[in-house]
Amino acid sequence: MSVIVISGGRRLEGCVPVQGSKNSVLPILAASLLSGCVSVIHNCPDLSDVAASVAILEHLGCRIAREGDTITVDSSTLDRCDIPEHLMREMRSSAIFLGAVLARTGEARLSMPGGCELGPRPIDLHLSALRRLGAEIAEQGGGLRCSARSLQGCDISLTIPSVGATENAMLAACAARGRTAIYNAAREPEIVDLQRFLCACGAKVRGAGSDLVVIDGSVPLHSAEHRVIADRICAATWLAAGAAAGGEIEVEGVPREQLLPVTDLLAQAGCDVREESQRVTLISDGYLRAVPPVRTASYPGFPTDAHPPVMAALTKGTGTTVFVEMMFENRYRHTQELARMGADIRVEGRVAVVCGVPGLQGARLEAADLRGGAALVVAALAAEGESRIGGLHHLDRGYERLTETLRSLGADIVRV
């Protein structure tokens, strides 16, 4: 079994071009089913979640070609509407195929999705939105059977701005007769990117980035070419690593406004942050100070996926910082591993109190989920001595060539 070995205490220096967004490419791959034509998608990161999406597309009958970071999907050959359990369990985002398959074929059969175990993440909002559009959905034996003779545009009001529910509703609405309006829609940049791809295919979608997305359905779609946006969570992880280990790093390719919740916090913690339109430079001495309470929220609030690596950076320094996790109840599984390194973290429900310590010590660690694994890497880079991190299948879901990227910045890191 592979592990990452990190000898910490080395400053990080250099520039990181940020990979394509995991949370953007997955719904776009699902959306490639809608046109029944050829979609050419650039800047696709080499991740296990992307490979899982490609496997689902191939199972459905699509022809796939990959060259470098470009994936070409020919969905004209789609010939089935079922997704087997072993493919659904590969990733949480597999739920996004529900709306796309239903829109294309009028029927979908699949099991409940898998992914990181961050606590209950029901897809009730997804199902409610699809039912509003006219889908009939039966839940039985851990699976879903969906059918729709004809989808009809309607008003959909989400009780919370769920990213996945917004995406599924957008995809299904493209095949619905008439106009669909999604109220309290998620505002994440990944929603905007999905809209851009759909519009490139000929769909009539507007409003992404606001809390109201409007789709005029049943418009003929065609082949399209699209470039996926950069991954703001990866950029936040590299910035957290630079803040924790010390040094001067640049991340490029992510609009500065998408990183503001993270860069503002790291600046309050004592880092020198310099921002341009598509580039952020961070300078740190590796010793941070406490910041006001950090509460995760939907975009444009502090992103839950950036929460663990930023928390890891703040374990070494002075003062006490309170983290409040509003999205996932099991987000703090990494704190037990950080404690093995000497971190002082007390957890009660959705609240974690981090008391800064003078230094961390390397240890044997195990990643329990994707972003928790990133937190362990950040802490290990700042620690004295050697750390060995297992559970790499979690990190492979979201970080492309992680060890090579950090080694290019001067980290002493290797995968063995």
Side-chain angles (χ1 to χ4, degrees), residues 33 70 102 259:
L33 293 172
T70 298
L102 185 66
L259 292 172

Side-chain angles (χ1 to χ4, degrees), residues 1-3 365-370 373 389-396:
M1 184 175 294
S2 296
V3 297
L365 309 165
E366 188 74 17
D369 56 70
L370 170 55
I389 304 172
L392 302 189
H393 60 286
H394 294 295
L395 285 162
D396 292 341

Side-chain angles (χ1 to χ4, degrees), residues 40 93 95 128 134 219 224 237 269-270 279 300 307 327 343-344 387 399 402 409:
V40 180
S93 297
S128 176
V219 175
T237 302
R279 181 190 298 263
H307 182 177
M327 313 300 286
D344 184 353
S387 296
Y399 294 94
L402 181 145
L409 295 174

Side-chain angles (χ1 to χ4, degrees), residues 35-74:
S35 69
C37 299
V38 175
S39 299
V40 180
I41 307 167
H42 303 290
N43 203 30
C44 299
D46 184 10
L47 307 172
S48 60
D49 270 12
V50 173
S53 289
V54 167
I56 289 173
L57 291 171
E58 290 177 328
H59 172 81
L60 293 170
C62 300
R63 295 196 195 95
I64 308 292
R66 177 156 196 161
E67 184 175 349
D69 69 359
T70 298
I71 295 177
T72 301
V73 181
D74 181 356

Side-chain angles (χ1 to χ4, degrees), residues 116-361:
C116 289
E117 297 178 5
L118 297 176
R121 292 187 287 175
I123 60 171
D124 295 359
L125 288 178
H126 303 230
L127 304 184
S128 176
L130 296 177
R131 285 184 172 118
R132 287 280 298 160
L133 288 163
E136 297 180 1
I137 304 174
E139 303 177 49
Q140 52 186 357
L144 299 170
R145 285 182 163 271
C146 312
S147 61
R149 292 183 180 178
S150 178
L151 295 172
Q152 180 65 50
C154 63
D155 289 345
I156 298 171
S157 181
L158 299 177
T159 54
I160 60 172
S162 162
V163 173
T166 300
E167 292 168 342
N168 253 325
M170 288 171 67
L171 297 183
C174 285
R177 296 195 311 271
R179 176 168 294 178
T180 298
I182 306 171
Y183 293 90
N184 198 28
R187 300 164 59 187
E188 273 73 2
E190 295 78 18
I191 301 291
V192 178
D193 205 27
L194 176 61
Q195 174 179 280
R196 288 176 52 239
F197 173 74
L198 291 172
C199 290
C201 294
K204 293 185 177 180
V205 185
R206 64 183 185 277
S210 74
D211 59 4
L212 174 60
V213 177
V214 178
I215 305 99
D216 290 313
S218 294
V219 175
L221 304 182
H222 49 70
S223 296
E225 191 168 357
H226 179 78
R227 182 175 180 83
V228 173
I229 61 173
D231 195 312
R232 61 194 172 98
I233 304 302
C234 280
T237 302
W238 307 141
L239 291 172
E248 180 175 346
I249 71 167
E250 296 177 351
V251 295
E252 60 179 8
V254 181
R256 60 176 294 275
E257 61 270 17
Q258 294 182 14
L259 292 172
L260 278 176
V262 173
T263 54
D264 281 356
L265 184 149
L266 293 176
Q268 291 179 70
C271 298
D272 180 3
V273 179
R274 303 169 187 177
E275 299 168 308
E276 301 175 37
S277 62
Q278 297 281 325
R279 181 190 298 263
V280 173
T281 301
L282 179 140
I283 303 171
S284 170
D285 62 6
Y287 290 92
L288 306 182
R289 58 175 179 262
V291 298
V294 181
R295 182 185 296 265
T296 63
S298 300
Y299 190 86
F302 194 90
T304 181
D305 283 350
H307 182 177
V310 169
M311 175 190 284
L314 287 168
T315 58
K316 192 182 80 168
T318 60
T320 299
T321 300
V322 176
F323 288 84
V324 184
E325 173 54 52
M326 301 301 297
M327 313 300 286
F328 300 125
E329 67 181 39
N330 288 343
R331 179 59 93 183
Y332 294 131
R333 297 168 73 191
H334 61 282
T335 60
Q336 299 174 14
E337 298 297 284
L338 293 176
R340 293 164 57 85
M341 306 178 76
D344 184 353
I345 305 174
R346 286 161 284 171
V347 176
E348 185 67 39
R350 293 181 178 268
V351 177
V353 179
V354 179
C355 299
V357 297
L360 302 173
Q361 297 298 317

